[in-house]
Amino acid sequence: MTPKQKIRRLAAWSIVVAFAVMGLKFVAWWLTGSVALYSDALESIVNVIAAFAAFWAISVSHKPADRDHQYGHHKAEYFSAVLEGVLIVVAALLILAEVWRAWQNPVPLDAPSLGLAINAAAAGVNGFWAWLLIRNGREHRSPALAADGHHILTDVVTSLGVLIGLLAAIATGWWMLDPLLALVVALNILWQGWKVIASSLDGLMDRAVDHENHLRIRDLISANSQGALEIHDLKTRIAGRATFIEFHMVVDAGMSVGDSHLICDRIEAALENEIPSVRVVIHVEPDHEAKLPPGTAAVPFA
């Protein structure tokens, strides 16, 4: 199975898992009447919508470049992540409205043991699935898959917090803990939604690779640019799974086009072997375009 097929398959299964978990959480709320469990169930609706959005975005991002999108469709995944962030915020606002209602009239829980057990089972399923999505999202550089995994992981933490808090409410009889927990859930969801939106907008703004990977790219170019005089104006940007690298390579003005092209091929092959889905653009220049003085060490960066 290719990485593209694996990502798409995981995205499809995320829809099934999201529906199953949502069903379990609504059953837990129906059995208990807990507003905290209701808030947890509301967030699971967001998970379902987000799973559909991620599947759509991943399907679009895997389409090959065409006449209207000549650099590919990689950024489609960021739109899915932004939508997920917005939906998280909407869910938090719905929870806050329910918190206000329950705060005014706190009530004991019905069938708490069974409801909490069902919610714990849903949290266990979500925990495993979040780990799987995050691992594969990072491995295959899929922002939509990783964002979905992080959102589900937040849901797991929320569920565990709710379970612990409701156990405390049952033990003490202090039923005000129920809406109080829902308030904490809503505030946490708002924070996570903001982080998802901010991260995705950063990707849409053509963010460069981090410093560690920038140095790694420099080292790969240096190690494979024998015959060139200088490399300068190195620029990078990330678009979903793809990494775009562009730089200028200075060669002797008398070097043939064929020889300079061989150097470019060697550099491109080295980068493609080490960096998944890389796109390399090299601008070859004659020696009078060098930015460093003559006699500088071989193949320096300017």
Side-chain angles (χ1 to χ4, degrees):
M1 185 182 297
T2 66
K4 288 183 179 181
Q5 291 173 325
K6 189 173 184 179
I7 291 172
R8 186 180 172 86
R9 184 178 181 182
L10 283 170
W13 272 104
S14 282
I15 298 172
V16 178
V17 172
F19 268 114
V21 170
M22 181 182 70
L24 288 172
K25 289 189 175 184
F26 270 102
V27 168
W29 163 66
W30 178 73
L31 287 171
T32 62
S34 165
V35 67
L37 291 182
Y38 176 69
S39 68
D40 206 12
L42 273 180
E43 189 181 2
S44 67
I45 296 176
V46 177
N47 290 350
V48 171
I49 299 172
F52 274 108
F55 180 75
W56 169 83
I58 288 170
S59 299
V60 172
S61 70
H62 284 165
K63 289 182 178 179
D66 54 36
R67 183 175 180 179
D68 295 326
H69 307 87
Q70 297 179 1
Y71 288 93
H73 301 78
H74 308 288
K75 288 189 178 181
E77 295 197 34
Y78 290 121
F79 290 102
S80 167
V82 170
L83 174 61
E84 182 168 348
V86 172
L87 291 172
I88 291 171
V89 172
V90 171
L93 295 176
L94 291 173
I95 292 168
L96 287 174
E98 188 65 21
V99 166
W100 176 249
R101 183 193 64 79
W103 190 270
Q104 295 175 314
N105 185 32
V107 294
L109 305 185
D110 298 322
S113 299
L114 180 57
L116 293 183
I118 292 174
N119 209 65
V125 173
N126 259 352
F128 170 75
W129 197 250
W131 170 78
L132 196 64
L133 292 182
I134 292 171
R135 189 189 69 173
N136 282 277
R138 288 175 177 171
E139 181 181 351
H140 302 299
R141 299 185 63 180
S142 171
L145 211 60
D148 202 21
H150 281 293
H151 176 209
I152 294 173
L153 185 60
T154 301
D155 191 21
V156 173
V157 174
T158 298
S159 297
L160 291 177
V162 167
L163 288 170
I164 293 170
L166 288 179
L167 286 172
I170 294 168
T172 62
W174 191 33
W175 300 113
M176 286 296 291
L177 272 176
D178 188 24
L180 185 62
L181 284 167
L183 176 62
V184 173
V185 169
L187 294 176
N188 180 57
I189 291 172
L190 280 173
W191 172 242
Q192 295 301 326
W194 164 248
K195 289 201 298 184
V196 169
I197 292 171
S199 175
S200 302
L201 291 177
D202 192 28
L204 289 171
M205 293 296 291
D206 286 339
R207 177 173 53 88
V209 301
D210 58 36
H211 182 65
E212 181 181 348
N213 279 309
H214 183 85
L215 294 179
R216 179 184 171 208
I217 290 169
R218 282 178 54 126
D219 290 344
L220 284 168
I221 295 172
S222 294
N224 293 276
S225 56
Q226 299 86 352
L229 302 176
E230 177 186 298
I231 304 293
H232 60 246
D233 292 349
L234 173 62
K235 298 176 183 177
T236 63
R237 67 181 178 93
I238 298 174
R241 300 178 311 282
T243 299
F244 291 84
I245 300 173
E246 176 185 338
F247 58 89
H248 293 196
M249 183 179 75
V250 178
V251 298
D252 188 284
M255 179 178 285
S256 69
V257 173
D259 288 341
S260 63
H261 191 262
L262 287 175
I263 302 173
C264 293
D265 284 346
R266 188 166 64 241
I267 296 173
E268 289 175 5
L271 291 170
E272 288 169 357
N273 285 336
E274 295 292 327
I275 303 172
S277 301
V278 70
R279 309 287 191 274
V280 185
V281 176
I282 305 173
H283 181 64
V284 180
E285 296 180 331
D287 49 22
H288 67 266
E289 295 289 341
K291 293 188 175 182
L292 293 173
T296 308
V299 202
F301 276 81

